[in-house]
Amino acid sequence: MDVTQDDRAGGHRAPAPLLPVTTGAFATPPEPEPTMIDVLVLDDSQFDAMQLQRACRSTDLPVRVTIATGLEEFRRMLQARRYHVVFIDYLLPDGDGLAAQEILRGVEKNGQSPVVMISGEARHDVAVEAIRRGCIDYKAKSDLTREALKGLILRALEEGSRIAQASLRQALDDQREEILAAMRDIVREEMSRGSTGHHNRDAVTLQLLRSYGVLPEEKDHDWGDLMEDQAMSFVFRKH
């Protein structure tokens, strides 16, 4: 309730305002900081680069824009931080945008970073070659409006997520193959220590697999195939 001048004149004391609880069990957690979207711009024109930086910031996305004006500076920045999207000017005094893209692909930290090739004028031949080499788009600088940039950045984030998921799946597949190879080596070693004949090798192998907590995916094939055929696999038993 608002306290009027009349309330104060009558001797009534206004109630103290309630303060937000900031400590203890009922403390209000702070708002999480938005994840920064790191953008790298390679352009020898400081004016064009600053203009692109301002346009990126106008998208209302939490962007952090870094500017490189030459290939060596570009290389150093690629090695220092991972970028979610990289804008590369095609015309450079010490090379061209395609050479810059090759530099990017050779830096492990940013080898898979999405690239947008830009140029002062639209060139169909450059656009075709840039897309062929893996750029997500080619744009004339005059077309880099606030809405266009926002769409490009969001596309780059989606592409980066897809690449990361594919890399994770590949890493898991590689790890699985290593485990399978190790399991085969263990079973071979254990079988070589036994004195059993060929006739009961199947039972011995199955017993060994069960003792290690794994089972073959198929049970109607030859155990020799299981040891030699890389297409044969194991699955871990769920408890």
Side-chain angles (χ1 to χ4, degrees):
M1 180 179 65
D2 293 333
V3 180
T4 65
Q5 186 175 3
D6 291 339
D7 290 327
R8 290 194 295 272
H12 299 291
R13 176 175 297 177
L18 294 176
L19 297 176
V21 178
T22 57
T23 60
F26 299 99
T28 302
E31 289 293 327
E33 291 292 330
T35 302
M36 295 301 297
I37 302 170
D38 278 306
V39 177
L40 178 59
V41 176
L42 171 60
D43 197 327
D44 63 302
S45 169
Q46 189 73 14
F47 175 81
D48 288 350
M50 294 294 292
Q51 190 172 35
L52 181 54
Q53 182 183 57
R54 288 192 294 270
C56 286
R57 290 172 176 173
S58 72
T59 61
D60 297 327
L61 296 173
V63 297
R64 175 170 53 192
V65 181
T66 305
I67 296 172
T69 57
L71 291 180
E72 285 306 312
E73 185 181 19
F74 181 64
R75 192 193 305 272
R76 290 196 302 271
M77 290 178 175
L78 289 173
Q79 293 168 344
R81 178 187 298 163
R82 186 189 180 283
Y83 295 92
H84 296 93
V85 58
V86 180
F87 291 90
I88 298 178
D89 185 18
Y90 177 70
L91 294 176
L92 299 167
D94 49 354
D96 61 26
L98 299 177
Q101 188 180 1
E102 288 301 312
I103 291 174
L104 177 142
R105 298 304 179 208
V107 177
E108 183 178 358
K109 192 185 293 290
N110 287 282
Q112 298 295 325
S113 295
V115 174
V116 178
M117 192 72 66
I118 60 177
S119 181
E121 57 182 14
R123 287 183 51 178
H124 179 73
D125 59 329
V126 176
V128 170
E129 186 64 16
I131 299 300
R132 189 185 72 81
R133 296 198 185 192
C135 291
I136 64 171
D137 212 332
Y138 168 87
K139 290 288 186 183
K141 293 181 182 180
S142 58
D143 294 332
L144 294 175
T145 63
R146 182 177 70 87
E147 288 303 320
L149 280 171
K150 186 172 184 178
L152 286 170
I153 292 171
L154 293 177
R155 273 182 58 196
L157 292 177
E158 183 177 353
E159 178 67 10
S161 176
R162 185 192 66 79
I163 292 172
Q165 290 177 11
S167 297
L168 178 59
R169 285 194 297 269
Q170 184 61 53
L172 292 174
D173 287 344
D174 292 344
Q175 186 180 53
R176 181 173 179 273
E177 288 303 316
E178 291 177 4
I179 293 173
L180 292 178
M183 289 304 305
R184 288 189 174 94
D185 289 342
I186 291 173
V187 173
R188 289 193 189 97
E189 182 179 354
E190 291 292 341
M191 290 181 66
S192 67
R193 294 176 181 175
S195 58
T196 57
H198 178 78
H199 65 281
N200 63 346
R201 184 184 62 180
D202 292 4
V204 172
T205 304
L206 181 58
Q207 181 181 1
L208 285 170
L209 292 176
R210 285 175 174 167
S211 70
Y212 285 113
V214 294
L215 292 172
E217 293 179 347
E218 303 293 339
K219 299 182 176 62
D220 57 353
H221 55 70
D222 185 81
W223 291 107
D225 292 340
L226 184 64
M227 295 297 103
E228 304 301 332
D229 187 354
Q230 297 302 312
M232 296 293 183
S233 186
F234 300 102
V235 291
F236 286 95
R237 184 169 56 197
K238 297 180 180 178
H239 297 283

